[in-house]
Amino acid sequence: MAESLISVSNLYKRYGSKNVLKGVNLDVAEGQVMALLGPNGAGKTTLMRIVAGLARPNRGDVTLGGVSLGKAGTELRRYIGLVSHLPLLYDNLSGWENLAFFARMYDMQTPEPRIEAVLHAVDLWQRRRDAVRTYSRGMLQRLSIARAILHNPPVLLLDEPDTGLDQTSSQMLHSLIRQLGASNRAILLSTHNLDRALEWADSICLLRDGKIAYQASAATLTGASLRQLYAEASAS
Amino acid sequence: MSVLLQTEPNNNALVAPPSLENQPVQMHTGGGVGAYLRKVGAIADKDLRAEIRAKEVFSTMTVFSVLAVVIFGMAFDLRVAFPTSVVPGVLWAVMLFTGVLGLNRSFGAEVDRGSLAALLLAPVDRSAIYFGKLLANLFFLLATQCITLPAILVIFNVNIFQTWILVSLLLGTVGYVTVGTLFAALSASVRARESMLPILLLPVMLPVFMAGTKITGLVLDGKGLNDIQRWLGILIAYDLIFLVVAFLVFDLIWEEL
């Protein structure tokens, strides 16, 4: 069994009087892609934000590569790459300048070859000099993916990365996720697209009302059975 | 500053694109004071570059400050016999109100675009983000004053280009952006941040406003260093105290975003 890179144990999170997460446990091993599914408000984004270190749980712990996120310093952030439904980019800078800025934030040595490689990987090399504000929604999302993988993190958190992507971009993202997942990374991916989840992920985790309602290998599910499970989660 | 962000290589895609897996990533870890200062510089540089492209903050602050000086000039022209009696108040009031415009955008724009989350995800000490923002805000406010001061000279016909006035203005501006950047971060995620920031900030700025106005008035009355040193001391103490306080508390502001 591969080593677990992301380990979430007994996680609780409350915003005001609303309990958003109620005792979530999950493990993502290296080389594994886990799809996090659930209706709006199920707690997917909150879980992603806690694993990314952007929010603190009220109870429970997240460990990345065996190191507790709550006890680690800033250095553990080097192990995390996050793609959110927001691009998390500076729209007045060019694609290249955005990546160069984040390369400095991650203390990367001679980052130019790596920046070039990731821009090619997301097919934005030809538009690297253009201001990000001139990019389409799909291009923004692809640059956002480039930013997340720039420092080659072993843990990738993809919060609805397929939002706004056309068919070509979506296929490119799929191929990139397979390539990244195959190279000893752990990828936690949230999406509303059930077919993509089955196609892209090795395992499926269905959240309902802050709890894990169902968790299984993607190979054991069909599109119809997953839709049935999702409909039950959404209805309750 | 502008050399801090690397420029892209001048090659094109005629050769085969490099593979992701063939590009090992090497990062300095730890890095000490040098790495810390490089990140402070990179954040300030990024803000300045973005502003040069967008021309949102500086142009707004400049136009507002000149308009405010013109309005004060028209208001006092009819009633005040000696402009030197109102210029100190005009100078410092315009500085305070103009600064709020830039400070609001400092973190507000990052929150609106979500880019603050990417910044907080990076292995960067929170205080480095603060000092990077502080440097950019200081630059914007000082650059605005380069336009405001000649406007005051022309409209009120009072020479405020005097050494101790300029020194007090520099010290006051440092104190202002020190506290202002901290409060801008505090109010960035608040829904009504445009109105919240001045309500929080302006009362705390009273010592700076009083000391600055007093120094400007005394210098315009022909007084020397002996007469103003107590007020200068207040400005220096204010700057030092709030720099240390901001450094200590800034981590706590963004425990959650």
Side-chain angles (χ1 to χ4, degrees):
Chain A
M1 175 102 182
E3 188 185 343
S4 175
L5 270 185
I6 305 173
S7 183
V8 173
S9 53
N10 200 28
L11 210 62
Y12 284 81
K13 179 66 182 175
R14 192 177 57 245
Y15 286 114
S17 59
K18 181 169 171 55
N19 291 311
V20 181
L21 295 178
K22 304 168 185 169
V24 172
N25 294 283
L26 61 84
D27 287 279
V28 188
E30 64 178 48
Q32 192 189 13
V33 180
M34 176 182 278
L36 202 56
L37 304 176
N40 289 334
K44 301 186 298 296
T45 297
T46 301
L47 178 57
M48 286 282 194
R49 291 173 59 79
I50 291 174
V51 176
L54 290 174
R56 289 192 179 177
N58 294 104
R59 199 173 356 142
D61 196 18
V62 176
T63 61
L64 302 178
V67 181
S68 168
L69 201 57
K71 292 171 188 155
T74 57
E75 289 301 311
L76 194 60
R77 294 187 212 145
R78 291 181 198 282
Y79 294 90
I80 305 166
L82 172 72
V83 176
S84 158
H85 50 275
L86 285 172
L88 316 187
L89 295 163
Y90 295 100
D91 51 10
N92 290 317
L93 301 182
S94 70
W96 179 279
E97 286 173 328
N98 265 284
L99 296 185
F101 170 69
F102 285 107
R104 293 196 70 84
M105 292 296 101
Y106 284 87
D107 308 287
M108 287 171 62
Q109 293 179 292
T110 56
E112 292 83 1
R114 176 71 184 175
I115 295 174
E116 187 181 341
V118 294
L119 282 172
H120 277 294
V122 297
D123 198 20
L124 284 175
W125 177 249
Q126 298 298 332
R127 295 289 306 269
R128 67 193 183 279
R129 293 194 184 94
D130 298 341
V132 163
R133 67 171 177 273
T134 66
Y135 285 16
S136 67
R137 170 74 192 145
M139 290 164 72
L140 279 175
Q141 197 65 352
R142 275 146 55 197
L143 188 62
S144 180
I145 293 161
R147 176 193 48 71
I149 63 174
L150 177 69
H151 56 291
N152 206 15
V155 171
L156 260 181
L157 307 171
L158 310 177
D159 190 7
E160 299 178 27
D162 49 345
T163 306
L165 291 187
D166 58 23
Q167 194 60 32
T168 312
S169 301
S170 182
Q171 280 167 359
M172 188 215 69
L173 178 61
H174 180 202
S175 132
L176 200 58
I177 287 174
R178 295 315 312 174
Q179 188 187 344
L180 294 166
S183 52
N184 298 329
R185 285 180 184 79
I187 301 178
L188 187 58
L189 157 81
S190 84
T191 180
H192 286 289
N193 189 319
L194 305 186
D195 294 326
R196 277 185 193 150
L198 272 183
E199 190 184 358
W200 292 4
D202 304 304
S203 62
I204 302 288
C205 177
L206 184 59
L207 272 180
R208 180 177 59 198
D209 193 26
K211 293 178 189 165
I212 292 180
Y214 186 81
Q215 195 169 353
S217 161
T220 62
L221 290 164
T222 62
S225 61
L226 184 58
R227 267 187 284 280
Q228 173 72 26
L229 287 165
Y230 191 87
E232 285 169 12
S234 303
S236 59
Chain B
M1 280 273 183
S2 60
V3 297
L4 287 171
L5 282 181
Q6 301 94 324
T7 52
E8 59 190 286
N10 203 18
N11 56 348
N12 53 36
L14 291 175
V15 292
S19 151
L20 277 181
E21 298 309 316
N22 292 337
Q23 295 294 338
V25 175
Q26 290 184 310
M27 292 183 266
H28 291 287
T29 53
V33 178
Y36 182 88
L37 293 178
R38 275 195 297 275
K39 288 175 184 174
V40 170
I43 291 165
D45 181 48
K46 180 264 298 171
D47 276 7
L48 296 183
R49 267 177 192 258
E51 175 54 24
I52 287 167
R53 307 268 164 78
K55 298 177 183 64
E56 285 172 356
V57 178
F58 177 66
S59 53
T60 309
M61 289 167 72
T62 306
V63 170
F64 175 84
S65 69
V66 171
L67 276 175
V69 170
V70 170
I71 288 167
F72 277 127
M74 291 168 70
F76 290 126
D77 190 40
L78 301 172
R79 301 286 300 168
V80 178
F82 302 102
T84 50
S85 60
V86 294
V87 159
V90 170
L91 171 65
W92 287 85
V94 168
M95 193 267 272
L96 288 187
F97 291 128
T98 303
V100 171
L101 296 177
L103 291 166
N104 254 327
R105 293 298 298 160
S106 179
F107 286 101
E110 299 251 13
V111 169
D112 293 344
R113 285 189 297 254
S115 48
L116 190 58
L119 209 50
L120 296 177
L121 268 174
V124 183
D125 196 287
R126 304 285 201 253
S127 64
I129 300 174
Y130 167 77
F131 284 114
K133 291 283 180 188
L134 186 151
L135 278 182
N137 288 333
L138 185 62
F139 180 86
F140 293 142
L141 201 48
L142 289 177
T144 304
Q145 285 165 6
C146 289
I147 310 290
T148 313
L149 295 186
I152 290 176
L153 174 68
V154 169
I155 288 171
F156 288 94
N157 197 23
V158 173
N159 180 20
I160 47 173
F161 288 94
Q162 300 188 45
T163 306
W164 291 114
I165 293 179
L166 297 179
V167 169
S168 70
L169 204 53
L170 178 64
L171 288 170
T173 307
V174 169
Y176 185 40
V177 295
T178 300
V179 179
T181 306
L182 182 68
F183 281 29
L186 264 173
S187 60
S189 301
V190 177
R191 202 170 298 161
R193 65 167 177 258
E194 280 81 10
S195 50
M196 185 61 75
L197 180 61
I199 288 169
L200 286 172
L201 179 59
L202 294 180
V204 185
M205 293 312 302
L206 277 178
V208 169
F209 183 76
M210 286 169 63
T213 309
K214 198 73 186 173
I215 291 168
T216 309
L218 287 169
V219 172
L220 290 178
D221 289 344
K223 307 288 186 189
L225 180 59
N226 282 341
D227 298 302
I228 63 169
Q229 61 187 4
R230 187 161 55 103
W231 297 102
L232 276 177
I234 290 174
L235 287 181
I236 293 168
Y238 188 96
D239 290 0
L240 292 175
I241 288 168
F242 278 100
L243 270 173
V244 173
V245 168
F247 178 76
L248 293 176
V249 304
F250 200 71
D251 263 6
L252 305 175
I253 291 177
W254 284 328
E255 279 199 353
E256 285 221 6
L257 180 70

